[in-house]
Amino acid sequence: MSQMPQQAAVSKCPSCEEPLESGDRFCGACGYDLSVVPARPEDSPTLAINGAVPPQEGVDWPVARDSDGHGRPAPVHAAAELPGTDSGGSPLLPPPPPPPPAPGVRFDRPGEPDEYPLQAPDPRLTAEQAVPAQQAAAAEPVAPAAPAPPTAPAAAEKVCVACRAGRVDDDGYCENCGHAQPRERDHMEQESGPVAAVSDRGLRHHRNEDAFAVGCTALPDGAPASVAIVCDGVSSATRPDDASLAASRAAGASLLGALPRGTHPQQAMHDAILAASQAVNALADEPATAREQAPHQNAPACTLVGAVVTAGLLVVGWVGDSRVYWVPADRTTPPARLTEDDSWAAQMVAAGLMSEAEAYADERAHAITGWLGADAYELEPHTASFKPDRPGVVVVCTDGLWNYAESAEEMAEAMPLDAAARPLHGARVLVGHALDGGGHDNVTVALLPFPAPPQGAGSA
């Protein structure tokens, strides 16, 4: 049974230091309540400038020698080598003798050497290779060990972007101020030869649910080909960020694998959309227990849009409401939009029930009618081929950008004139245009110059 700790007798009042009588509960001079436990003094040890600890009052500390007279430090003694007293002033008793060895345990084995002849395993060898190497080293005379190379310093810990002082924990929050740190996907940029892409979380969303894949390859005849895939996660679905990432990776890998084998770019685009659909569908394969614990979750879903640019052909493919625009290098010629949205607004316009302005002003405008996911309707990948007669730039983007540059003319006006020569810079400018407009959604855009320049060309 535990007990409350008893307070030690007080000889003087903690407040006015007036002498006290045994059994007093209050100070007769100042009325201080002696039952109150005095506050713990602050831990502020006093250190001498030279680093020594100042002597305490009432203790006769022996003066240590600085050296033995020959420039060497004085020997340090273990505590057992010096006489001492206990807290009551009595001499300390000698330590008890060690207990007798337990039966069945031997203490008479020879002492172990300070160094072993076996060398440490080479980290470049596998586990199977390391064992014979050690056996061979034991059979050979040991050469003097070379000095170990200096070890590389440990990677610097992440520092909070808000307070610039706290360490960032594994959950992505500052241990000092609690500020959430930017995630890796909050802002992404990539340049692959002449094609570049930029993706940003935007100003209103708590995470980036967009993803992209860009790359360059060569056709069987050696002609260059550029590829860009942009995916937008469906926010009302479960794990939209995982869906967009899986779809973009699957479609990009499919295109970069099919084009060098001689698959026609339009067929390759169709197959890439199917591969992306399968990757997103696989995310819905959850254990039955997970579905029971969260019965209201729906399948991950996203939209997809992509483009393939060769020396003389432009192929686009899409499912959903992300878009592809064509902006000619000669801005005196008209730009064009190359895709049609799978959305409620597009259906209203196609049926002649609303004008385009009326449809996209409706709050139901961005309700999509086509997407990738296990709960989607029958998948109908859209593909189209074009043969532009002049150079230009292909813009592949999510609605986070075209909400602020919806018409082809607005997109061309927002894009820099040198976007074909500097696609990464052009993509950054377009993302900035969306952020300046309000950044209500995630923003992702990829730029591909047409025709595809030779291998090795890139942004200036």
Side-chain angles (χ1 to χ4, degrees), residues 389-425:
D389 58 354
R390 64 200 67 198
V393 178
V394 180
V395 182
V396 184
C397 65
T398 61
D399 60 343
L401 172 60
W402 66 253
N403 279 333
Y404 303 97
E406 185 171 346
S407 67
E409 290 75 17
E410 292 173 327
M411 186 65 70
E413 184 178 355
M415 193 172 66
L417 296 175
D418 61 349
R422 303 171 62 195
L424 181 58
H425 170 72

PDB file of all heavy atoms in Angstrom, residues 389-425:
ATOM      1  N   ASP A 389       1.133  21.040 -89.812  1.00  0.00           N
ATOM      2  CA  ASP A 389       1.940  21.464 -90.951  1.00  0.00           C
ATOM      3  C   ASP A 389       2.956  22.542 -90.568  1.00  0.00           C
ATOM      4  O   ASP A 389       3.564  23.152 -91.445  1.00  0.00           O
ATOM      5  CB  ASP A 389       1.042  21.983 -92.082  1.00  0.00           C
ATOM      6  CG  ASP A 389       0.173  23.146 -91.628  1.00  0.00           C
ATOM      7  OD1 ASP A 389       0.191  23.457 -90.412  1.00  0.00           O
ATOM      8  OD2 ASP A 389      -0.534  23.732 -92.471  1.00  0.00           O
ATOM      9  N   ARG A 390       3.137  22.813 -89.286  1.00  0.00           N
ATOM     10  CA  ARG A 390       4.078  23.844 -88.830  1.00  0.00           C
ATOM     11  C   ARG A 390       4.519  23.491 -87.412  1.00  0.00           C
ATOM     12  O   ARG A 390       3.853  22.728 -86.707  1.00  0.00           O
ATOM     13  CB  ARG A 390       3.415  25.220 -88.865  1.00  0.00           C
ATOM     14  CG  ARG A 390       2.243  25.381 -87.919  1.00  0.00           C
ATOM     15  CD  ARG A 390       1.354  26.529 -88.314  1.00  0.00           C
ATOM     16  NE  ARG A 390       0.677  26.249 -89.595  1.00  0.00           N
ATOM     17  CZ  ARG A 390       0.114  27.175 -90.347  1.00  0.00           C
ATOM     18  NH1 ARG A 390       0.128  28.435 -89.965  1.00  0.00           N
ATOM     19  NH2 ARG A 390      -0.471  26.845 -91.482  1.00  0.00           N
ATOM     20  N   PRO A 391       5.627  24.013 -86.951  1.00  0.00           N
ATOM     21  CA  PRO A 391       6.092  23.729 -85.592  1.00  0.00           C
ATOM     22  C   PRO A 391       5.211  24.402 -84.546  1.00  0.00           C
ATOM     23  O   PRO A 391       4.519  25.389 -84.824  1.00  0.00           O
ATOM     24  CB  PRO A 391       7.518  24.291 -85.580  1.00  0.00           C
ATOM     25  CG  PRO A 391       7.519  25.335 -86.654  1.00  0.00           C
ATOM     26  CD  PRO A 391       6.572  24.847 -87.713  1.00  0.00           C
ATOM     27  N   GLY A 392       5.239  23.861 -83.362  1.00  0.00           N
ATOM     28  CA  GLY A 392       4.443  24.410 -82.273  1.00  0.00           C
ATOM     29  C   GLY A 392       4.742  23.687 -80.978  1.00  0.00           C
ATOM     30  O   GLY A 392       5.723  22.944 -80.856  1.00  0.00           O
ATOM     31  N   VAL A 393       3.863  23.875 -80.034  1.00  0.00           N
ATOM     32  CA  VAL A 393       4.014  23.263 -78.702  1.00  0.00           C
ATOM     33  C   VAL A 393       2.696  22.594 -78.333  1.00  0.00           C
ATOM     34  O   VAL A 393       1.619  23.172 -78.526  1.00  0.00           O
ATOM     35  CB  VAL A 393       4.389  24.313 -77.638  1.00  0.00           C
ATOM     36  CG1 VAL A 393       4.490  23.666 -76.262  1.00  0.00           C
ATOM     37  CG2 VAL A 393       5.696  25.002 -77.994  1.00  0.00           C
ATOM     38  N   VAL A 394       2.805  21.369 -77.812  1.00  0.00           N
ATOM     39  CA  VAL A 394       1.653  20.618 -77.341  1.00  0.00           C
ATOM     40  C   VAL A 394       1.556  20.808 -75.828  1.00  0.00           C
ATOM     41  O   VAL A 394       2.522  20.570 -75.099  1.00  0.00           O
ATOM     42  CB  VAL A 394       1.779  19.126 -77.688  1.00  0.00           C
ATOM     43  CG1 VAL A 394       0.562  18.355 -77.195  1.00  0.00           C
ATOM     44  CG2 VAL A 394       1.948  18.956 -79.195  1.00  0.00           C
ATOM     45  N   VAL A 395       0.379  21.248 -75.373  1.00  0.00           N
ATOM     46  CA  VAL A 395       0.134  21.487 -73.947  1.00  0.00           C
ATOM     47  C   VAL A 395      -0.768  20.379 -73.430  1.00  0.00           C
ATOM     48  O   VAL A 395      -1.897  20.209 -73.908  1.00  0.00           O
ATOM     49  CB  VAL A 395      -0.520  22.859 -73.716  1.00  0.00           C
ATOM     50  CG1 VAL A 395      -0.733  23.110 -72.225  1.00  0.00           C
ATOM     51  CG2 VAL A 395       0.311  23.968 -74.342  1.00  0.00           C
ATOM     52  N   VAL A 396      -0.284  19.603 -72.444  1.00  0.00           N
ATOM     53  CA  VAL A 396      -1.051  18.530 -71.811  1.00  0.00           C
ATOM     54  C   VAL A 396      -1.270  18.948 -70.363  1.00  0.00           C
ATOM     55  O   VAL A 396      -0.310  19.139 -69.611  1.00  0.00           O
ATOM     56  CB  VAL A 396      -0.300  17.191 -71.881  1.00  0.00           C
ATOM     57  CG1 VAL A 396      -1.151  16.065 -71.314  1.00  0.00           C
ATOM     58  CG2 VAL A 396       0.112  16.884 -73.316  1.00  0.00           C
ATOM     59  N   CYS A 397      -2.542  19.107 -69.942  1.00  0.00           N
ATOM     60  CA  CYS A 397      -2.774  19.702 -68.628  1.00  0.00           C
ATOM     61  C   CYS A 397      -4.049  19.188 -67.984  1.00  0.00           C
ATOM     62  O   CYS A 397      -4.940  18.644 -68.643  1.00  0.00           O
ATOM     63  CB  CYS A 397      -2.835  21.224 -68.734  1.00  0.00           C
ATOM     64  SG  CYS A 397      -4.237  21.833 -69.693  1.00  0.00           S
ATOM     65  N   THR A 398      -4.134  19.386 -66.680  1.00  0.00           N
ATOM     66  CA  THR A 398      -5.343  19.101 -65.914  1.00  0.00           C
ATOM     67  C   THR A 398      -6.217  20.351 -65.865  1.00  0.00           C
ATOM     68  O   THR A 398      -5.812  21.444 -66.266  1.00  0.00           O
ATOM     69  CB  THR A 398      -4.987  18.671 -64.475  1.00  0.00           C
ATOM     70  OG1 THR A 398      -4.296  19.741 -63.823  1.00  0.00           O
ATOM     71  CG2 THR A 398      -4.107  17.440 -64.472  1.00  0.00           C
ATOM     72  N   ASP A 399      -7.428  20.177 -65.321  1.00  0.00           N
ATOM     73  CA  ASP A 399      -8.336  21.322 -65.251  1.00  0.00           C
ATOM     74  C   ASP A 399      -7.866  22.367 -64.253  1.00  0.00           C
ATOM     75  O   ASP A 399      -8.380  23.493 -64.247  1.00  0.00           O
ATOM     76  CB  ASP A 399      -9.759  20.867 -64.915  1.00  0.00           C
ATOM     77  CG  ASP A 399      -9.845  20.151 -63.569  1.00  0.00           C
ATOM     78  OD1 ASP A 399      -8.794  19.729 -63.044  1.00  0.00           O
ATOM     79  OD2 ASP A 399     -10.961  19.997 -63.051  1.00  0.00           O
ATOM     80  N   GLY A 400      -6.890  22.022 -63.409  1.00  0.00           N
ATOM     81  CA  GLY A 400      -6.321  23.025 -62.528  1.00  0.00           C
ATOM     82  C   GLY A 400      -5.654  24.156 -63.276  1.00  0.00           C
ATOM     83  O   GLY A 400      -5.535  25.273 -62.748  1.00  0.00           O
ATOM     84  N   LEU A 401      -5.232  23.914 -64.536  1.00  0.00           N
ATOM     85  CA  LEU A 401      -4.693  24.977 -65.384  1.00  0.00           C
ATOM     86  C   LEU A 401      -5.755  25.542 -66.307  1.00  0.00           C
ATOM     87  O   LEU A 401      -5.942  26.772 -66.371  1.00  0.00           O
ATOM     88  CB  LEU A 401      -3.516  24.450 -66.210  1.00  0.00           C
ATOM     89  CG  LEU A 401      -2.991  25.407 -67.286  1.00  0.00           C
ATOM     90  CD1 LEU A 401      -2.513  26.716 -66.686  1.00  0.00           C
ATOM     91  CD2 LEU A 401      -1.883  24.754 -68.105  1.00  0.00           C
ATOM     92  N   TRP A 402      -6.481  24.673 -67.036  1.00  0.00           N
ATOM     93  CA  TRP A 402      -7.372  25.238 -68.048  1.00  0.00           C
ATOM     94  C   TRP A 402      -8.589  25.940 -67.438  1.00  0.00           C
ATOM     95  O   TRP A 402      -9.304  26.665 -68.150  1.00  0.00           O
ATOM     96  CB  TRP A 402      -7.775  24.200 -69.097  1.00  0.00           C
ATOM     97  CG  TRP A 402      -8.617  23.023 -68.700  1.00  0.00           C
ATOM     98  CD1 TRP A 402      -8.214  21.737 -68.574  1.00  0.00           C
ATOM     99  CD2 TRP A 402     -10.038  23.004 -68.460  1.00  0.00           C
ATOM    100  NE1 TRP A 402      -9.266  20.917 -68.240  1.00  0.00           N
ATOM    101  CE2 TRP A 402     -10.399  21.673 -68.188  1.00  0.00           C
ATOM    102  CE3 TRP A 402     -11.034  23.982 -68.461  1.00  0.00           C
ATOM    103  CZ2 TRP A 402     -11.708  21.293 -67.900  1.00  0.00           C
ATOM    104  CZ3 TRP A 402     -12.337  23.609 -68.177  1.00  0.00           C
ATOM    105  CH2 TRP A 402     -12.656  22.279 -67.908  1.00  0.00           C
ATOM    106  N   ASN A 403      -8.819  25.780 -66.137  1.00  0.00           N
ATOM    107  CA  ASN A 403      -9.845  26.618 -65.497  1.00  0.00           C
ATOM    108  C   ASN A 403      -9.505  28.097 -65.604  1.00  0.00           C
ATOM    109  O   ASN A 403     -10.408  28.951 -65.555  1.00  0.00           O
ATOM    110  CB  ASN A 403      -9.993  26.237 -64.024  1.00  0.00           C
ATOM    111  CG  ASN A 403     -10.867  25.007 -63.840  1.00  0.00           C
ATOM    112  OD1 ASN A 403     -11.738  24.722 -64.650  1.00  0.00           O
ATOM    113  ND2 ASN A 403     -10.627  24.274 -62.767  1.00  0.00           N
ATOM    114  N   TYR A 404      -8.209  28.411 -65.733  1.00  0.00           N
ATOM    115  CA  TYR A 404      -7.770  29.802 -65.817  1.00  0.00           C
ATOM    116  C   TYR A 404      -7.293  30.171 -67.221  1.00  0.00           C
ATOM    117  O   TYR A 404      -6.839  31.293 -67.443  1.00  0.00           O
ATOM    118  CB  TYR A 404      -6.633  30.041 -64.814  1.00  0.00           C
ATOM    119  CG  TYR A 404      -7.036  29.700 -63.407  1.00  0.00           C
ATOM    120  CD1 TYR A 404      -6.725  28.465 -62.855  1.00  0.00           C
ATOM    121  CD2 TYR A 404      -7.773  30.601 -62.637  1.00  0.00           C
ATOM    122  CE1 TYR A 404      -7.114  28.138 -61.560  1.00  0.00           C
ATOM    123  CE2 TYR A 404      -8.167  30.281 -61.350  1.00  0.00           C
ATOM    124  CZ  TYR A 404      -7.841  29.044 -60.811  1.00  0.00           C
ATOM    125  OH  TYR A 404      -8.242  28.721 -59.537  1.00  0.00           O
ATOM    126  N   ALA A 405      -7.411  29.252 -68.162  1.00  0.00           N
ATOM    127  CA  ALA A 405      -7.100  29.523 -69.570  1.00  0.00           C
ATOM    128  C   ALA A 405      -7.887  28.501 -70.382  1.00  0.00           C
ATOM    129  O   ALA A 405      -7.324  27.605 -70.994  1.00  0.00           O
ATOM    130  CB  ALA A 405      -5.596  29.412 -69.833  1.00  0.00           C
ATOM    131  N   GLU A 406      -9.211  28.681 -70.406  1.00  0.00           N
ATOM    132  CA  GLU A 406     -10.075  27.634 -70.945  1.00  0.00           C
ATOM    133  C   GLU A 406     -10.014  27.550 -72.457  1.00  0.00           C
ATOM    134  O   GLU A 406      -9.894  26.452 -73.017  1.00  0.00           O
ATOM    135  CB  GLU A 406     -11.510  27.874 -70.478  1.00  0.00           C
ATOM    136  CG  GLU A 406     -12.457  26.761 -70.889  1.00  0.00           C
ATOM    137  CD  GLU A 406     -13.817  26.906 -70.221  1.00  0.00           C
ATOM    138  OE1 GLU A 406     -13.934  27.692 -69.270  1.00  0.00           O
ATOM    139  OE2 GLU A 406     -14.747  26.256 -70.699  1.00  0.00           O
ATOM    140  N   SER A 407     -10.062  28.651 -73.136  1.00  0.00           N
ATOM    141  CA  SER A 407     -10.038  28.607 -74.597  1.00  0.00           C
ATOM    142  C   SER A 407      -8.606  28.426 -75.087  1.00  0.00           C
ATOM    143  O   SER A 407      -7.634  28.709 -74.372  1.00  0.00           O
ATOM    144  CB  SER A 407     -10.627  29.887 -75.178  1.00  0.00           C
ATOM    145  OG  SER A 407      -9.802  31.002 -74.885  1.00  0.00           O
ATOM    146  N   ALA A 408      -8.474  27.963 -76.324  1.00  0.00           N
ATOM    147  CA  ALA A 408      -7.144  27.793 -76.906  1.00  0.00           C
ATOM    148  C   ALA A 408      -6.430  29.132 -77.023  1.00  0.00           C
ATOM    149  O   ALA A 408      -5.211  29.209 -76.845  1.00  0.00           O
ATOM    150  CB  ALA A 408      -7.261  27.130 -78.274  1.00  0.00           C
ATOM    151  N   GLU A 409      -7.170  30.167 -77.297  1.00  0.00           N
ATOM    152  CA  GLU A 409      -6.550  31.485 -77.412  1.00  0.00           C
ATOM    153  C   GLU A 409      -6.006  31.957 -76.060  1.00  0.00           C
ATOM    154  O   GLU A 409      -4.914  32.535 -75.987  1.00  0.00           O
ATOM    155  CB  GLU A 409      -7.570  32.494 -77.942  1.00  0.00           C
ATOM    156  CG  GLU A 409      -7.964  32.286 -79.400  1.00  0.00           C
ATOM    157  CD  GLU A 409      -8.905  31.109 -79.595  1.00  0.00           C
ATOM    158  OE1 GLU A 409      -9.508  30.655 -78.585  1.00  0.00           O
ATOM    159  OE2 GLU A 409      -9.029  30.632 -80.736  1.00  0.00           O
ATOM    160  N   GLU A 410      -6.754  31.712 -74.986  1.00  0.00           N
ATOM    161  CA  GLU A 410      -6.265  32.082 -73.656  1.00  0.00           C
ATOM    162  C   GLU A 410      -5.027  31.277 -73.260  1.00  0.00           C
ATOM    163  O   GLU A 410      -4.101  31.796 -72.629  1.00  0.00           O
ATOM    164  CB  GLU A 410      -7.375  31.874 -72.625  1.00  0.00           C
ATOM    165  CG  GLU A 410      -8.550  32.842 -72.762  1.00  0.00           C
ATOM    166  CD  GLU A 410      -9.694  32.490 -71.838  1.00  0.00           C
ATOM    167  OE1 GLU A 410      -9.903  31.289 -71.570  1.00  0.00           O
ATOM    168  OE2 GLU A 410     -10.392  33.422 -71.393  1.00  0.00           O
ATOM    169  N   MET A 411      -5.004  29.999 -73.629  1.00  0.00           N
ATOM    170  CA  MET A 411      -3.843  29.176 -73.321  1.00  0.00           C
ATOM    171  C   MET A 411      -2.615  29.668 -74.082  1.00  0.00           C
ATOM    172  O   MET A 411      -1.507  29.735 -73.523  1.00  0.00           O
ATOM    173  CB  MET A 411      -4.128  27.711 -73.671  1.00  0.00           C
ATOM    174  CG  MET A 411      -3.031  26.747 -73.262  1.00  0.00           C
ATOM    175  SD  MET A 411      -2.821  26.640 -71.458  1.00  0.00           S
ATOM    176  CE  MET A 411      -4.339  25.792 -71.013  1.00  0.00           C
ATOM    177  N   ALA A 412      -2.798  30.007 -75.348  1.00  0.00           N
ATOM    178  CA  ALA A 412      -1.680  30.519 -76.135  1.00  0.00           C
ATOM    179  C   ALA A 412      -1.172  31.842 -75.589  1.00  0.00           C
ATOM    180  O   ALA A 412       0.039  32.111 -75.578  1.00  0.00           O
ATOM    181  CB  ALA A 412      -2.105  30.673 -77.589  1.00  0.00           C
ATOM    182  N   GLU A 413      -2.075  32.678 -75.113  1.00  0.00           N
ATOM    183  CA  GLU A 413      -1.662  33.964 -74.566  1.00  0.00           C
ATOM    184  C   GLU A 413      -0.889  33.805 -73.266  1.00  0.00           C
ATOM    185  O   GLU A 413       0.034  34.577 -72.979  1.00  0.00           O
ATOM    186  CB  GLU A 413      -2.905  34.836 -74.344  1.00  0.00           C
ATOM    187  CG  GLU A 413      -2.587  36.243 -73.853  1.00  0.00           C
ATOM    188  CD  GLU A 413      -3.829  37.083 -73.687  1.00  0.00           C
ATOM    189  OE1 GLU A 413      -4.924  36.607 -74.052  1.00  0.00           O
ATOM    190  OE2 GLU A 413      -3.722  38.221 -73.184  1.00  0.00           O
ATOM    191  N   ALA A 414      -1.241  32.795 -72.460  1.00  0.00           N
ATOM    192  CA  ALA A 414      -0.559  32.584 -71.190  1.00  0.00           C
ATOM    193  C   ALA A 414       0.803  31.927 -71.358  1.00  0.00           C
ATOM    194  O   ALA A 414       1.662  32.061 -70.474  1.00  0.00           O
ATOM    195  CB  ALA A 414      -1.431  31.727 -70.269  1.00  0.00           C
ATOM    196  N   MET A 415       1.023  31.241 -72.472  1.00  0.00           N
ATOM    197  CA  MET A 415       2.271  30.502 -72.643  1.00  0.00           C
ATOM    198  C   MET A 415       3.364  31.409 -73.201  1.00  0.00           C
ATOM    199  O   MET A 415       3.110  32.201 -74.114  1.00  0.00           O
ATOM    200  CB  MET A 415       2.057  29.313 -73.580  1.00  0.00           C
ATOM    201  CG  MET A 415       3.204  28.326 -73.572  1.00  0.00           C
ATOM    202  SD  MET A 415       2.828  26.846 -74.506  1.00  0.00           S
ATOM    203  CE  MET A 415       2.716  27.516 -76.160  1.00  0.00           C
ATOM    204  N   PRO A 416       4.609  31.321 -72.694  1.00  0.00           N
ATOM    205  CA  PRO A 416       5.689  32.162 -73.207  1.00  0.00           C
ATOM    206  C   PRO A 416       5.987  31.875 -74.680  1.00  0.00           C
ATOM    207  O   PRO A 416       5.762  30.772 -75.175  1.00  0.00           O
ATOM    208  CB  PRO A 416       6.879  31.795 -72.324  1.00  0.00           C
ATOM    209  CG  PRO A 416       6.298  31.160 -71.121  1.00  0.00           C
ATOM    210  CD  PRO A 416       5.031  30.500 -71.561  1.00  0.00           C
ATOM    211  N   LEU A 417       6.520  32.869 -75.353  1.00  0.00           N
ATOM    212  CA  LEU A 417       6.826  32.707 -76.773  1.00  0.00           C
ATOM    213  C   LEU A 417       7.953  31.710 -77.010  1.00  0.00           C
ATOM    214  O   LEU A 417       8.022  31.087 -78.078  1.00  0.00           O
ATOM    215  CB  LEU A 417       7.187  34.069 -77.378  1.00  0.00           C
ATOM    216  CG  LEU A 417       6.074  35.121 -77.392  1.00  0.00           C
ATOM    217  CD1 LEU A 417       6.614  36.457 -77.901  1.00  0.00           C
ATOM    218  CD2 LEU A 417       4.904  34.647 -78.250  1.00  0.00           C
ATOM    219  N   ASP A 418       8.851  31.555 -76.031  1.00  0.00           N
ATOM    220  CA  ASP A 418       9.988  30.650 -76.213  1.00  0.00           C
ATOM    221  C   ASP A 418       9.747  29.288 -75.579  1.00  0.00           C
ATOM    222  O   ASP A 418      10.698  28.590 -75.216  1.00  0.00           O
ATOM    223  CB  ASP A 418      11.253  31.281 -75.626  1.00  0.00           C
ATOM    224  CG  ASP A 418      11.126  31.545 -74.130  1.00  0.00           C
ATOM    225  OD1 ASP A 418      10.006  31.436 -73.595  1.00  0.00           O
ATOM    226  OD2 ASP A 418      12.151  31.859 -73.502  1.00  0.00           O
ATOM    227  N   ALA A 419       8.500  28.883 -75.418  1.00  0.00           N
ATOM    228  CA  ALA A 419       8.197  27.620 -74.754  1.00  0.00           C
ATOM    229  C   ALA A 419       8.753  26.422 -75.513  1.00  0.00           C
ATOM    230  O   ALA A 419       9.115  25.420 -74.894  1.00  0.00           O
ATOM    231  CB  ALA A 419       6.683  27.468 -74.573  1.00  0.00           C
ATOM    232  N   ALA A 420       8.835  26.498 -76.849  1.00  0.00           N
ATOM    233  CA  ALA A 420       9.374  25.377 -77.613  1.00  0.00           C
ATOM    234  C   ALA A 420      10.857  25.171 -77.313  1.00  0.00           C
ATOM    235  O   ALA A 420      11.339  24.032 -77.249  1.00  0.00           O
ATOM    236  CB  ALA A 420       9.165  25.614 -79.107  1.00  0.00           C
ATOM    237  N   ALA A 421      11.591  26.249 -77.110  1.00  0.00           N
ATOM    238  CA  ALA A 421      13.026  26.152 -76.807  1.00  0.00           C
ATOM    239  C   ALA A 421      13.268  25.939 -75.322  1.00  0.00           C
ATOM    240  O   ALA A 421      14.294  25.368 -74.944  1.00  0.00           O
ATOM    241  CB  ALA A 421      13.748  27.418 -77.276  1.00  0.00           C
ATOM    242  N   ARG A 422      12.351  26.385 -74.478  1.00  0.00           N
ATOM    243  CA  ARG A 422      12.507  26.269 -73.022  1.00  0.00           C
ATOM    244  C   ARG A 422      11.219  25.711 -72.414  1.00  0.00           C
ATOM    245  O   ARG A 422      10.450  26.421 -71.761  1.00  0.00           O
ATOM    246  CB  ARG A 422      12.840  27.627 -72.408  1.00  0.00           C
ATOM    247  CG  ARG A 422      14.082  28.285 -72.987  1.00  0.00           C
ATOM    248  CD  ARG A 422      14.212  29.707 -72.477  1.00  0.00           C
ATOM    249  NE  ARG A 422      14.362  29.757 -71.033  1.00  0.00           N
ATOM    250  CZ  ARG A 422      14.212  30.860 -70.303  1.00  0.00           C
ATOM    251  NH1 ARG A 422      13.856  32.007 -70.890  1.00  0.00           N
ATOM    252  NH2 ARG A 422      14.382  30.835 -68.999  1.00  0.00           N
ATOM    253  N   PRO A 423      10.947  24.416 -72.631  1.00  0.00           N
ATOM    254  CA  PRO A 423       9.670  23.857 -72.156  1.00  0.00           C
ATOM    255  C   PRO A 423       9.528  23.853 -70.644  1.00  0.00           C
ATOM    256  O   PRO A 423       8.423  24.048 -70.135  1.00  0.00           O
ATOM    257  CB  PRO A 423       9.666  22.439 -72.735  1.00  0.00           C
ATOM    258  CG  PRO A 423      11.102  22.133 -73.015  1.00  0.00           C
ATOM    259  CD  PRO A 423      11.750  23.423 -73.378  1.00  0.00           C
ATOM    260  N   LEU A 424      10.605  23.627 -69.902  1.00  0.00           N
ATOM    261  CA  LEU A 424      10.482  23.634 -68.447  1.00  0.00           C
ATOM    262  C   LEU A 424      10.111  25.023 -67.941  1.00  0.00           C
ATOM    263  O   LEU A 424       9.238  25.174 -67.073  1.00  0.00           O
ATOM    264  CB  LEU A 424      11.784  23.160 -67.807  1.00  0.00           C
ATOM    265  CG  LEU A 424      11.785  23.092 -66.273  1.00  0.00           C
ATOM    266  CD1 LEU A 424      10.678  22.170 -65.768  1.00  0.00           C
ATOM    267  CD2 LEU A 424      13.148  22.630 -65.755  1.00  0.00           C
ATOM    268  N   HIS A 425      10.747  26.037 -68.497  1.00  0.00           N
ATOM    269  CA  HIS A 425      10.398  27.399 -68.124  1.00  0.00           C
ATOM    270  C   HIS A 425       8.951  27.705 -68.505  1.00  0.00           C
ATOM    271  O   HIS A 425       8.202  28.318 -67.735  1.00  0.00           O
ATOM    272  CB  HIS A 425      11.338  28.381 -68.811  1.00  0.00           C
ATOM    273  CG  HIS A 425      10.922  29.811 -68.683  1.00  0.00           C
ATOM    274  ND1 HIS A 425      11.011  30.514 -67.502  1.00  0.00           N
ATOM    275  CD2 HIS A 425      10.380  30.683 -69.591  1.00  0.00           C
ATOM    276  CE1 HIS A 425      10.571  31.742 -67.685  1.00  0.00           C
ATOM    277  NE2 HIS A 425      10.179  31.874 -68.940  1.00  0.00           N
TER     278      HIS A 425
END
